[in-house]
Short mmCIF file of all heavy atoms in Angstrom, two decimals:
data_model
loop_
_atom_site.label_atom_id
_atom_site.label_comp_id
_atom_site.label_asym_id
_atom_site.label_seq_id
_atom_site.Cartn_x
_atom_site.Cartn_y
_atom_site.Cartn_z
N ASP A 374 12.47 -43.72 9.88
CA ASP A 374 13.38 -43.13 10.86
C ASP A 374 12.69 -42.54 12.03
O ASP A 374 13.14 -41.58 12.61
CB ASP A 374 14.24 -42.07 10.15
CG ASP A 374 15.09 -42.62 8.97
OD1 ASP A 374 15.45 -43.82 9.06
OD2 ASP A 374 15.44 -41.88 8.08
N PHE A 375 11.59 -43.15 12.38
CA PHE A 375 10.80 -42.60 13.49
C PHE A 375 11.57 -42.50 14.80
O PHE A 375 11.53 -41.52 15.53
CB PHE A 375 9.47 -43.31 13.67
CG PHE A 375 8.53 -42.62 14.63
CD1 PHE A 375 7.76 -41.60 14.24
CD2 PHE A 375 8.48 -43.16 15.93
CE1 PHE A 375 6.86 -40.99 15.18
CE2 PHE A 375 7.60 -42.52 16.82
CZ PHE A 375 6.79 -41.51 16.46
N PHE A 376 12.18 -43.61 15.17
CA PHE A 376 12.85 -43.68 16.50
C PHE A 376 14.20 -43.01 16.47
O PHE A 376 15.05 -43.30 15.54
CB PHE A 376 12.93 -45.09 16.94
CG PHE A 376 11.56 -45.76 17.14
CD1 PHE A 376 11.08 -46.61 16.26
CD2 PHE A 376 10.81 -45.39 18.29
CE1 PHE A 376 9.78 -47.23 16.45
CE2 PHE A 376 9.61 -45.99 18.51
CZ PHE A 376 9.04 -46.85 17.58
N PRO A 377 14.52 -42.19 17.44
CA PRO A 377 15.80 -41.54 17.51
C PRO A 377 17.03 -42.43 17.52
O PRO A 377 18.12 -42.04 17.13
CB PRO A 377 15.71 -40.67 18.81
CG PRO A 377 14.25 -40.53 19.04
CD PRO A 377 13.61 -41.75 18.52
N SER A 378 16.80 -43.65 18.02
CA SER A 378 17.96 -44.60 18.14
C SER A 378 18.52 -44.92 16.73
O SER A 378 19.67 -45.34 16.62
CB SER A 378 17.53 -45.85 18.86
OG SER A 378 16.39 -46.47 18.13
N ARG A 379 17.74 -44.66 15.66
CA ARG A 379 18.16 -45.02 14.35
C ARG A 379 18.99 -43.95 13.71
O ARG A 379 20.04 -44.18 13.12
CB ARG A 379 16.92 -45.27 13.44
CG ARG A 379 17.27 -45.73 12.03
CD ARG A 379 15.98 -45.96 11.30
NE ARG A 379 16.23 -46.26 9.88
CZ ARG A 379 16.45 -47.44 9.40
NH1 ARG A 379 16.42 -48.52 10.18
NH2 ARG A 379 16.64 -47.67 8.10
N VAL A 380 18.54 -42.70 13.84
CA VAL A 380 19.24 -41.56 13.13
C VAL A 380 19.55 -40.37 14.01
O VAL A 380 20.11 -39.38 13.60
CB VAL A 380 18.41 -41.06 11.98
CG1 VAL A 380 18.31 -42.10 10.83
CG2 VAL A 380 17.04 -40.62 12.38
N GLY A 381 19.23 -40.49 15.32
CA GLY A 381 19.35 -39.35 16.26
C GLY A 381 18.08 -38.51 16.31
O GLY A 381 17.35 -38.50 15.37
N TYR A 382 17.88 -37.86 17.43
CA TYR A 382 16.62 -37.14 17.65
C TYR A 382 16.31 -36.09 16.63
O TYR A 382 15.24 -35.96 16.08
CB TYR A 382 16.57 -36.57 19.02
CG TYR A 382 15.36 -35.74 19.27
CD1 TYR A 382 14.12 -36.31 19.44
CD2 TYR A 382 15.44 -34.34 19.38
CE1 TYR A 382 12.98 -35.57 19.65
CE2 TYR A 382 14.34 -33.56 19.60
CZ TYR A 382 13.10 -34.18 19.73
OH TYR A 382 11.95 -33.42 19.92
N GLN A 383 17.36 -35.29 16.28
CA GLN A 383 17.16 -34.14 15.41
C GLN A 383 16.69 -34.54 13.98
O GLN A 383 15.98 -33.84 13.35
CB GLN A 383 18.45 -33.29 15.25
CG GLN A 383 18.79 -32.57 16.54
CD GLN A 383 17.71 -31.50 16.90
OE1 GLN A 383 17.10 -30.95 16.05
NE2 GLN A 383 17.53 -31.35 18.19
N GLU A 384 17.10 -35.71 13.49
CA GLU A 384 16.80 -36.18 12.19
C GLU A 384 15.64 -37.25 12.21
O GLU A 384 15.27 -37.76 11.16
CB GLU A 384 17.98 -36.82 11.48
CG GLU A 384 19.16 -35.84 11.31
CD GLU A 384 18.80 -34.65 10.51
OE1 GLU A 384 18.00 -34.81 9.52
OE2 GLU A 384 19.32 -33.52 10.77
N SER A 385 15.11 -37.48 13.43
CA SER A 385 14.13 -38.56 13.56
C SER A 385 12.72 -38.14 13.12
O SER A 385 12.38 -36.94 13.16
CB SER A 385 14.10 -39.05 14.94
OG SER A 385 13.53 -38.08 15.84
N GLY A 386 11.93 -39.11 12.78
CA GLY A 386 10.52 -38.86 12.43
C GLY A 386 9.77 -38.47 13.69
O GLY A 386 8.83 -37.68 13.58
N LEU A 387 10.20 -38.98 14.82
CA LEU A 387 9.56 -38.60 16.08
C LEU A 387 9.65 -37.09 16.32
O LEU A 387 8.62 -36.41 16.65
CB LEU A 387 10.25 -39.30 17.26
CG LEU A 387 9.78 -38.87 18.68
CD1 LEU A 387 8.31 -39.20 18.88
CD2 LEU A 387 10.63 -39.56 19.72
N LYS A 388 10.79 -36.51 16.08
CA LYS A 388 10.94 -35.10 16.25
C LYS A 388 10.13 -34.28 15.23
O LYS A 388 9.44 -33.31 15.57
CB LYS A 388 12.42 -34.71 16.08
CG LYS A 388 12.74 -33.28 16.59
CD LYS A 388 13.07 -32.34 15.42
CE LYS A 388 13.48 -30.97 15.91
NZ LYS A 388 13.88 -30.07 14.79
N PHE A 389 10.13 -34.81 13.97
CA PHE A 389 9.35 -34.12 12.89
C PHE A 389 7.90 -34.06 13.23
O PHE A 389 7.27 -32.98 13.20
CB PHE A 389 9.58 -34.85 11.61
CG PHE A 389 8.76 -34.31 10.44
CD1 PHE A 389 9.17 -33.20 9.79
CD2 PHE A 389 7.58 -34.89 10.09
CE1 PHE A 389 8.44 -32.66 8.70
CE2 PHE A 389 6.82 -34.39 9.03
CZ PHE A 389 7.25 -33.28 8.38
N TRP A 390 7.32 -35.19 13.67
CA TRP A 390 5.88 -35.25 13.93
C TRP A 390 5.53 -34.55 15.28
O TRP A 390 4.44 -34.01 15.38
CB TRP A 390 5.38 -36.66 13.89
CG TRP A 390 5.36 -37.18 12.50
CD1 TRP A 390 6.23 -38.16 11.95
CD2 TRP A 390 4.50 -36.76 11.44
NE1 TRP A 390 5.92 -38.31 10.62
CE2 TRP A 390 4.94 -37.52 10.27
CE3 TRP A 390 3.49 -35.88 11.31
CZ2 TRP A 390 4.29 -37.35 8.97
CZ3 TRP A 390 2.90 -35.68 10.03
CH2 TRP A 390 3.29 -36.43 8.90
N LEU A 391 6.45 -34.59 16.21
CA LEU A 391 6.26 -33.80 17.43
C LEU A 391 6.12 -32.30 17.15
O LEU A 391 5.29 -31.61 17.75
CB LEU A 391 7.37 -33.99 18.41
CG LEU A 391 7.27 -35.32 19.31
CD1 LEU A 391 8.56 -35.43 20.15
CD2 LEU A 391 6.05 -35.33 20.12
#
Side-chain angles (χ1 to χ4, degrees):
D374 296 334
F375 186 80
F376 295 104
S378 58
R379 182 181 176 90
V380 292
Y382 175 70
Q383 290 299 324
E384 301 298 325
S385 69
L387 174 63
K388 193 250 184 179
F389 176 80
W390 290 109
L391 278 177

